[in-house]
Amino acid sequence: MESTEQVTKDFIREIIDEDNKTNKYNGRVHTRFPPEPNGYLHIGHAKSICLNFGIAEEYKGFCNLRFDDTNPAKEEQEYVQSIIDNVKWLGFDWEDRLFFASDYFPQMYEYALQLIKTGKAYVDDLPADQITEYRGNLTKPGKNSPFRDRSIEENLDLFQRMKAGEFADGQKVLRAKIDMSHPNLNMRDPVMYRILHASHHRSGDAWCIYPMYDWAHGLEDSLEGITHSICTLEFENHRPLYDWFLDALGVYHPQQIEFARLNLTYTVMSKRLLLQLVDGNFVCGWDDPRLPTISGMRRRGYSPSAIRLFCKRIGVAKFNSIVDFEFLEHNIREDLNKTAPRFMGVLRPLKIIIDNYPAGQTEELEAVNNPEDPGMGSRKIPFSQTLYIEQDDFMENPPKDYYRLAPGREVRLRYAYFIKCTDVIKKDGKPIELHCTYDPATKGGYAPDGRKVKSTIHWVSASHAIPAETRLYDRLFTIADPAGQKGADFKEFLNPHSLEALRDCRVEPAIATLNAFDRFQFERLGYFCVDPSTTKNALVLNRTVELRDSWAKHQKTAQKK
Ligand code: ATP
Ligand code: MG
């Protein structure tokens, strides 16, 4: 389904090849995508989804969808549903392998008891701030908690009472007993369980102790028989702990592999920051077309195949980098150019009357649906005496390099006729109506006498066109790295002009036959899609991206240099 262009094998696939050669997992390849349901997924997650599900597909293995729902405070059912919908929409299938980390709580508890019984975990009474203080830092070794040498019996008793709800939040924790002077801070007796009297979206009030990420994640991977546990680079120095827990328990041990997360210019990519934009009403919900969320991109008109192509082309590496938003848009255009049917629509209408065209007459003109794909056929568009064209396709006093309509000048109406402007009607100095004549001999847009015009403009028939609201989008932020500015709140860099709503557009009648989320091109204006808020009487369109490809242009200039 994707382009067949060759992409060199990345280091993760090389590791898998090697493991298959040595038969490390008996030739099995089993990955997982493990989102925490504390927000909607973004394009960075799409990279991880394409990687994990893509690898499973290529190696004829499996990929699980697993909700890492170990933190009751921030997790919601709405997020679970949105994630399920997004992964499906991207084109991936976990079959019957949908898992929830919270379903493993009883097993994780048993494992914790096992570590206590082997002297590898203890209950600590130090409050949180003292745990931090005792941990030391990169230059200063930590020191042992006074509770570190409790007997196994006492630890077992206290941990069971923690679970039974005898203690308040923060009163006690369970910690792994590793090494308080370990050069890796993560290994200085990390916390495994904390007390939290909070309801969980799945387990309800069954638990008041909740496992920490580092403790839980490796167990989840192990229980599911994952072979390659792929995560982002910030977990690299958590890997020794991942390994320590699994070795200490002596259970099946997957391999953690880290890769660089995707960063994009002119946006923010963390759920924590996206939540601020949503909660603060800086955007209209998680699926606002300006957000880099998968739901937002879907509503903006990005296609799953374009997002997959983008993820494939950015590749997978071991070092952090930032990808140009233009490159994402370049891939969106490339995909839509092949697949999107063409229509005509006028965003800022200017009325024109063809004086020599019979009043009351309508004719149907033939228009090509997609010049890139003859298989998409053609359609009829109605033409009549009164039309709308784009306001900026006319200038009363045009400068030298302006070739569109002007008094006395002839241009081509796309798929229709040559017209010439004969008169301009103005109100408050602004053109509000043009009078034109047409040349009946130029039907289809070509003159039999061979005369040429310098421009072709789009139009709609006034009485046939349907009104629409069109939303045009610009970058959400005014600077490339809004989250990376020291001492500044990223929201200071929000672009106040990121949304422009045009409420008086006129579009080709065929647009009424489209459904929510359908993608198409308005000739000369860009790619668009039908907003899901559209009703029978109110058509709302989103502009996905303009036609001009600034990324391709940059690449050409860069190559010349
Ligand atoms: P965020 O910081 O946006 O909340 P997260 O890493 O906390 O992201 P999770 O729900 O824990 O989000 O992520 C699920 C999976 O997606 C993880 O394996 C994570 O490494 C991966 N992931 C998250 N962000 C990116 C990114 N920008 N690029 C690539 N993979 C990512
Ligand atoms: Mg997270």
Side-chain angles (χ1 to χ4, degrees):
M1 79 189 133
E2 240 103 79
S3 101
T4 51
E5 67 192 9
Q6 282 300 306
V7 176
T8 44
K9 229 173 214 182
D10 55 68
F11 75 97
I12 296 181
R13 288 168 169 92
E14 278 171 1
I15 292 174
I16 296 175
D17 285 346
E18 186 58 29
D19 289 345
N20 283 346
K21 227 184 277 167
T22 61
N23 227 17
K24 184 170 171 189
Y25 301 103
N26 300 318
R28 279 193 317 119
V29 175
H30 201 147
T31 56
R32 85 285 175 265
F33 173 64
E36 186 186 349
N38 60 344
Y40 278 55
L41 298 180
H42 51 62
I43 180 89
H45 293 112
K47 174 176 178 176
S48 177
I49 293 167
C50 291
L51 182 62
N52 281 295
F53 280 94
I55 282 175
E57 252 169 50
E58 284 159 46
Y59 288 91
K60 306 212 177 343
F62 301 103
C63 180
N64 298 354
L65 175 59
R66 179 207 307 148
F67 287 97
D68 207 344
D69 58 350
T70 52
N71 180 1
K74 288 191 272 175
E75 291 155 4
E76 284 178 34
Q77 192 52 39
E78 178 196 347
Y79 298 142
V80 169
Q81 194 53 50
S82 72
I83 291 169
I84 286 179
D85 294 344
N86 286 166
V87 179
K88 256 190 217 158
W89 179 78
L90 274 175
F92 298 105
D93 185 2
W94 51 90
E95 297 172 320
D96 58 351
R97 295 177 308 278
L98 173 64
F99 299 107
F100 289 84
S102 54
D103 290 347
Y104 309 135
F105 284 168
Q107 177 68 61
M108 289 176 185
Y109 178 75
E110 292 303 316
Y111 280 146
L113 291 176
Q114 189 184 325
L115 283 198
I116 296 173
K117 285 178 194 156
T118 50
K120 289 172 179 161
Y122 63 98
V123 173
D124 196 357
D125 296 2
L126 284 182
D129 56 334
Q130 286 200 43
I131 289 184
T132 309
E133 194 190 311
Y134 274 54
R135 180 167 293 135
N137 55 38
L138 285 176
T139 51
K140 200 174 94 193
K143 55 180 183 182
N144 288 352
S145 161
F147 304 99
R148 197 175 196 261
D149 291 318
R150 278 180 162 145
S151 69
I152 289 175
E153 290 67 36
E154 191 182 0
N155 281 320
L156 279 175
D157 174 59
L158 288 173
F159 185 54
Q160 280 157 359
R161 286 164 57 195
M162 277 169 67
K163 174 177 181 272
E166 283 189 33
F167 306 111
D169 290 4
Q171 219 182 323
K172 288 186 172 21
V173 291
L174 183 73
R175 298 178 71 173
K177 198 170 185 175
I178 307 181
D179 178 358
M180 286 307 289
S181 55
H182 200 286
N184 183 336
L185 292 178
N186 295 317
M187 300 294 274
R188 293 185 187 172
D189 291 11
V191 172
M192 295 163 57
Y193 276 95
R194 60 197 166 133
I195 301 173
L196 213 60
H197 291 270
S199 278
H200 185 277
H201 77 115
R202 278 176 74 84
S203 60
D205 295 322
W207 295 86
C208 64
I209 53 171
Y210 287 95
M212 304 299 286
Y213 179 89
D214 283 325
W215 162 243
H217 201 84
L219 300 181
E220 298 158 21
D221 288 342
S222 175
L223 289 166
E224 291 175 16
I226 300 302
T227 54
H228 302 87
S229 172
I230 301 168
C231 62
T232 40
L233 277 187
E234 64 274 22
F235 290 102
E236 193 163 21
N237 54 21
H238 294 244
R239 184 171 5 112
L241 184 52
Y242 182 101
D243 292 337
W244 189 92
F245 280 132
L246 296 176
D247 289 343
L249 290 166
V251 293
Y252 168 75
H253 194 150
Q255 180 183 356
Q256 177 181 304
I257 306 171
E258 310 85 17
F259 72 102
R261 62 197 296 123
L262 167 65
N263 296 301
L264 261 190
T265 56
Y266 295 98
T267 192
V268 291
M269 201 88 95
S270 125
K271 281 180 282 186
R272 189 175 53 82
L273 302 185
L274 295 173
L275 181 64
Q276 289 184 41
L277 295 178
V278 174
D279 278 355
N281 293 315
F282 296 97
V283 294
C284 310
W286 282 101
D287 66 345
D288 188 298
R290 290 168 292 182
L291 290 181
T293 53
I294 296 178
S295 297
M297 292 182 162
R298 173 178 186 219
R299 193 166 164 198
R300 177 84 173 249
Y302 292 13
S303 63
S305 53
I307 295 175
R308 290 195 305 261
L309 182 62
F310 167 74
C311 290
K312 183 170 170 179
R313 284 178 173 166
I314 55 174
V316 180
K318 258 298 200 200
F319 49 86
N320 279 310
S321 64
I322 180 155
V323 174
D324 277 339
F325 204 89
E326 284 87 357
F327 181 61
L328 172 61
E329 293 189 322
H330 169 77
N331 285 280
I332 303 300
R333 279 189 199 93
E334 182 179 317
D335 179 75
L336 291 176
N337 182 40
K338 287 182 229 142
T339 56
R342 272 58 166 171
F343 294 100
M344 292 202 283
V346 173
L347 299 184
R348 298 173 183 87
L350 172 61
K351 187 188 265 185
I352 71 171
I353 296 166
I354 317 272
D355 290 324
N356 61 339
Y357 193 86
Q361 176 176 311
T362 299
E363 72 184 297
E364 303 260 281
L365 300 171
E366 181 103 354
V368 173
N369 285 336
N370 186 349
E372 300 291 319
D373 180 0
M376 289 172 76
S378 62
R379 69 188 185 287
K380 302 276 193 212
I381 38 179
F383 185 88
S384 65
Q385 187 185 37
T386 306
L387 312 171
Y388 290 115
I389 63 165
E390 210 69 63
Q391 284 170 18
D392 67 3
D393 280 337
F394 172 78
M395 272 184 103
E396 197 175 8
N397 300 297
K400 250 201 163 126
D401 55 354
Y402 185 89
Y403 299 114
R404 292 169 270 168
L405 197 60
R409 184 182 292 166
E410 190 170 53
V411 299
R412 174 188 295 112
L413 291 180
R414 179 84 159 146
Y415 297 122
Y417 297 98
F418 285 9
I419 58 161
K420 191 186 266 184
C421 176
T422 52
D423 199 12
V424 187
I425 313 241
K426 291 194 284 191
K427 193 179 165 192
D428 305 327
K430 208 179 147 231
I432 53 158
E433 188 177 301
L434 306 179
H435 284 265
C436 299
T437 55
Y438 86 118
D439 177 357
T442 57
K443 184 164 178 171
Y446 295 93
D449 63 5
R451 84 181 183 276
K452 298 261 188 295
V453 287
K454 281 204 169 139
S455 83
T456 301
I457 63 176
H458 60 271
W459 55 275
V460 292
S461 164
S463 59
H464 301 92
I466 46 179
E469 172 178 334
T470 304
R471 297 175 185 162
L472 308 181
Y473 300 101
D474 195 355
R475 305 261 180 270
L476 186 52
F477 292 93
T478 53
I479 60 171
D481 184 15
Q485 306 303 307
K486 285 227 164 62
D489 180 348
F490 74 105
K491 296 193 288 300
E492 288 170 31
F493 307 104
L494 278 165
N495 175 5
H497 308 295
S498 59
L499 167 63
E500 183 185 4
L502 302 174
R503 300 209 165 79
D504 187 32
C505 311
R506 300 301 155 99
V507 305
E508 206 184 305
I511 297 292
T513 64
L514 301 181
N515 297 310
F517 298 109
D518 278 357
R519 298 174 277 266
F520 61 94
Q521 185 194 97
F522 273 144
E523 299 215 15
R524 299 176 68 226
L525 299 175
Y527 295 100
F528 292 77
C529 80
V530 180
D531 192 78
S533 70
T534 288
T535 62
K536 265 224 150 350
N537 304 315
L539 184 59
V540 181
L541 307 173
N542 293 311
R543 178 151 71 187
T544 311
V545 65
E546 288 179 75
L547 294 178
R548 195 171 52 93
D549 190 340
S550 52
W551 189 82
K553 211 169 120 201
H554 286 158
Q555 295 308 103
K556 271 195 195 128
T557 355
Q559 275 165 14
K560 269 190 206 142
K561 272 181 196 160

